[in-house]
């Protein structure tokens, strides 16, 4: 199951002119999304549901991507989760290779994982950043946020910031 809880976009006021600002490294826009819970039993990479879209204003801009995955758990021993960050269909980083390895045979709370990446998309077209995951073995399941219940369920986040060059 999945529970997408929202996307937030913060942009400069309409008509703002950034060309007169001095220096580099200006934050031009920030877009953030949260995600509640999902589960997988797949050994092939598949979308987690944590995704965000941004349309850079300049091809020279960098995009700082911040990912925080929380509430990870697994249902069997000797099973690990691999996660990677993509820009559209392009792999950017595998950031959680073999995470959560334990010999415990019961439901195990693994905790969380995440990454920070400064990307150079070189485009002014709409761009999607997303997290995918895959299990090391198909004999079990891995979950995001599932070992919590009700209103205390943690939210995983993905935030992208366009940085002017």
């Amino acid at each position: 199951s999945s529970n997408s809880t929202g996307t937030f976009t913060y942009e400069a006021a309409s008509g703002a002119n950034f060309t007169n600002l001095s220096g580099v490294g200006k934050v031009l826009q920030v877009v953030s999304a949260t995600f509640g819970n999902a589960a997988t039993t797949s050994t092939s990479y598949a979308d987690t549901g944590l995704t965000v879209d941004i349309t850079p204003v300049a091809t020279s801009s960098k995009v700082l991507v911040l990912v925080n995955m929380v509430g990870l758990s697994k249902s069997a021993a000797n099973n690990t989760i691999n996660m990677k960050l993509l820009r559209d269909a392009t792999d950017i980083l595998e950031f959680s290779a073999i995470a959560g390895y334990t010999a415990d045979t019961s439901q195990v709370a693994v905790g969380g994982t995440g990454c920070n990446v400064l990307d150079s998309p070189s485009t002014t077209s709409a761009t999607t950043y997303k997290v995918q995951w895959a299990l090391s073995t198909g004999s079990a399941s891995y979950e995001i946020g599932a070992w919590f219940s009700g209103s205390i369920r943690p939210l995983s986040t993905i935030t992208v910031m366009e940085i002017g060059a």
Side-chain angles (χ1 to χ4, degrees):
S1 70
S2 65
N3 177 19
S4 183
T5 57
T7 300
F8 307 96
T9 303
Y10 306 94
E11 296 184 30
S14 178
N17 183 350
F18 290 108
T19 59
N20 294 329
L21 296 176
S22 62
V24 296
K26 302 176 289 274
V27 175
L28 303 180
Q29 61 176 315
V30 176
V31 184
S32 183
T34 59
F35 185 78
N37 66 299
T40 188
T41 57
S42 177
T43 55
S44 298
Y45 275 104
D47 293 350
T48 61
L50 190 58
T51 183
V52 68
D53 297 299
I54 188 169
T55 303
V57 298
T59 57
S60 60
S61 293
K62 306 287 188 197
V63 175
L64 179 61
V65 183
L66 310 168
V67 174
N68 187 27
M69 305 291 291
V70 296
L72 298 173
S73 66
K74 64 182 189 150
S75 65
N78 304 329
N79 192 25
T80 62
I81 190 71
N82 302 308
M83 291 193 184
K84 65 181 179 177
L85 177 67
L86 290 87
R87 176 192 349 99
D88 296 324
T90 302
D91 290 359
I92 295 176
L93 175 70
E94 186 168 6
F95 64 90
S96 186
I98 67 168
Y101 185 89
T102 64
D104 194 314
T105 59
S106 62
Q107 183 84 8
V108 178
V110 175
T113 187
C115 69
N116 302 327
V117 176
L118 186 60
D119 187 36
S120 300
S122 300
T123 186
T124 56
S125 298
T127 303
T128 299
Y129 289 91
K130 65 182 177 179
V131 177
Q132 290 187 332
W133 58 352
L135 296 178
S136 60
T137 67
S139 62
S141 68
Y142 232 94
E143 301 173 84
I144 302 170
W147 47 275
F148 290 90
S149 63
S151 62
I152 65 167
R153 188 177 304 273
L155 296 176
S156 293
T157 60
I158 184 168
T159 301
V160 291
M161 292 185 250
E162 182 181 1
I163 311 298

